[in-house]
Amino acid sequence: MANGLPDPPCGLLTADAARSLVDSVDAFLFDCDGVIWKGDKLIEGVRETMELLRKMGKKIVFVTNNSRKSRRQYSKKFRSLGLEVTEEDIFTSSFAAAMFLKLNNFPSEKKVYVVGEGGILEELKLAGFECFGGPEDGKKNIILEADFHFEHDKNVGAVVVGLDQHFNYYKMQYARTCITENPGCLFIATNRDPTGHMTSAQEWPGAGTMVAAVSCSVQKEPIVVGKPSSFLMDFLLKSFNLETSRMCMVGDRLDTDILFGQNTGCKTLLVLSGQKLVVLSAPQSLSRVQ
């Protein structure tokens, strides 16, 4: 085991191995950033790959840790890039955060404070929760003066932290105060990715940097609902009549995508952000792919 990751048999994906993989899989789970696109640029060959897999009768699902958009907003982005994908085939970490609260019977009278962007707010509202924060609080400042006391809503029962381009000291203090001063307040992270492909030119700080800041200030670890947590897999299994052994997770990160697949019993396929080299790993396989 290296860096917390299992060491299953793995190897380069040759033509023979690719045919064997496709024959053994009914559904492919694709990450988005760095696998389908970089920023707003579609990676070469993606459209043709999607068409081929669908012609072969394979189910295609998208599982992303990026919480900036809701499933509705992601469906719109897919269409803008020439890919027809329905909301039902998209599973985001923003959706996972809302579903976690719903499944755990989060009290309807409690509020949710969001350190993140519109995607989290939209999914929470669609799930019936009262929430606030997000981009609006990115405009707020704190002036530290003697005897200054930071006021917050005592009715906040959960804080959700995700990728936030408007992250600031005000948000960090609001989250910290709710978690430490509101009895039983949940601390939920959409994901802990350290970086992400926010543009096609380079990588940028990911949600994990915001989560780390809040976690450090409250001296508490969050509940993580995105990959590599297996939480999203429960919804996949409920939505589609498939077995995890007949699924393949395709991603560009070992610590999230591939670990998610291995944690849930899927085959896994690592792509190096659009490059030709890929690595296949199959649970319970005893032979190295040649």
Side-chain angles (χ1 to χ4, degrees):
M1 181 173 290
N3 298 322
L5 296 170
D7 297 317
C10 62
L12 299 182
L13 188 65
T14 63
D16 288 341
R19 283 190 289 269
S20 177
L21 173 65
V22 172
D23 289 342
S24 69
V25 169
D26 296 322
F28 284 87
L29 316 180
F30 285 92
D31 178 40
C32 295
D33 297 303
V35 175
I36 303 300
W37 56 63
K38 285 186 176 182
D40 291 320
K41 183 179 180 181
L42 195 67
I43 291 176
E44 184 179 356
V46 165
R47 185 178 292 106
E48 294 79 5
T49 299
M50 299 294 107
E51 291 174 355
L52 177 60
L53 290 175
R54 284 178 173 142
K55 285 181 180 178
M56 298 175 72
K58 307 301 179 181
K59 182 67 180 176
I60 298 176
V61 181
F62 301 90
V63 186
T64 175
N65 267 356
N66 194 330
S67 63
R68 292 180 60 203
K69 291 180 171 62
S70 65
R71 291 182 299 163
R72 178 189 63 82
Q73 292 168 324
Y74 260 110
S75 181
K76 184 177 180 180
K77 177 170 182 175
F78 274 107
R79 289 195 299 273
S80 72
L81 294 173
L83 301 174
E84 285 300 321
V85 178
T86 64
E87 292 179 34
E88 290 72 23
D89 291 333
I90 303 170
F91 293 81
T92 66
S93 60
S94 53
F95 171 73
M99 291 303 100
F100 178 87
L101 292 174
K102 200 172 188 69
L103 282 182
N104 284 277
N105 299 313
F106 185 72
S108 58
E109 69 274 10
K110 290 289 186 179
K111 301 176 185 178
V112 183
Y113 182 70
V114 174
V115 178
E117 301 189 22
I120 301 175
L121 292 167
E122 182 170 329
E123 292 292 356
L124 287 170
K125 290 175 182 177
L126 287 172
F129 299 116
E130 183 177 354
C131 56
F132 66 103
E136 283 300 312
D137 281 3
K139 305 171 185 177
K140 298 178 181 178
N141 297 312
I142 295 176
I143 299 176
L144 296 176
E145 298 176 337
D147 300 322
F148 172 70
H149 183 267
F150 187 86
E151 296 294 336
H152 74 289
D153 192 326
K154 306 294 193 301
N155 206 32
V156 170
V159 172
V160 177
V161 183
L163 183 64
D164 192 340
Q165 293 182 92
H166 311 285
F167 187 71
N168 60 11
Y169 202 55
Y170 178 92
K171 288 186 179 183
M172 186 158 54
Q173 173 65 355
Y174 208 107
R176 191 204 69 80
T177 307
C178 290
I179 294 168
T180 58
E181 296 187 13
N182 291 4
C185 183
L186 299 173
F187 174 22
I188 299 170
T190 59
N191 64 292
R192 301 190 83 159
D193 294 37
T195 59
H197 296 283
M198 308 310 166
T199 69
S200 59
Q202 58 191 165
E203 288 194 338
W204 296 75
T209 58
M210 294 83 191
V211 173
V214 176
S215 179
C216 180
S217 71
V218 299
Q219 292 294 287
K220 181 179 180 180
E221 290 299 308
I223 300 167
V224 181
V225 295
K227 298 174 292 186
S229 166
S230 60
F231 180 74
L232 274 173
M233 182 56 73
D234 296 335
F235 290 95
L236 288 167
L237 297 178
K238 289 177 182 177
S239 301
F240 311 111
N241 186 25
L242 297 167
E243 296 181 2
T244 56
S245 61
R246 298 286 298 180
M247 296 180 181
C248 179
M249 179 68 218
V250 183
D252 65 333
R253 295 189 67 95
L254 286 170
D255 56 347
T256 54
D257 305 319
I258 303 308
L259 188 55
F260 170 74
Q262 293 175 356
N263 284 344
T264 55
C266 298
K267 296 177 175 64
T268 57
L269 188 66
L270 175 70
V271 297
L272 302 184
S273 301
Q275 297 182 47
K276 293 182 179 180
L277 181 64
V278 293
V279 177
L280 164 70
S281 68
Q284 300 179 347
S285 172
L286 298 177
S287 60
R288 179 180 175 84
V289 178
Q290 299 296 327

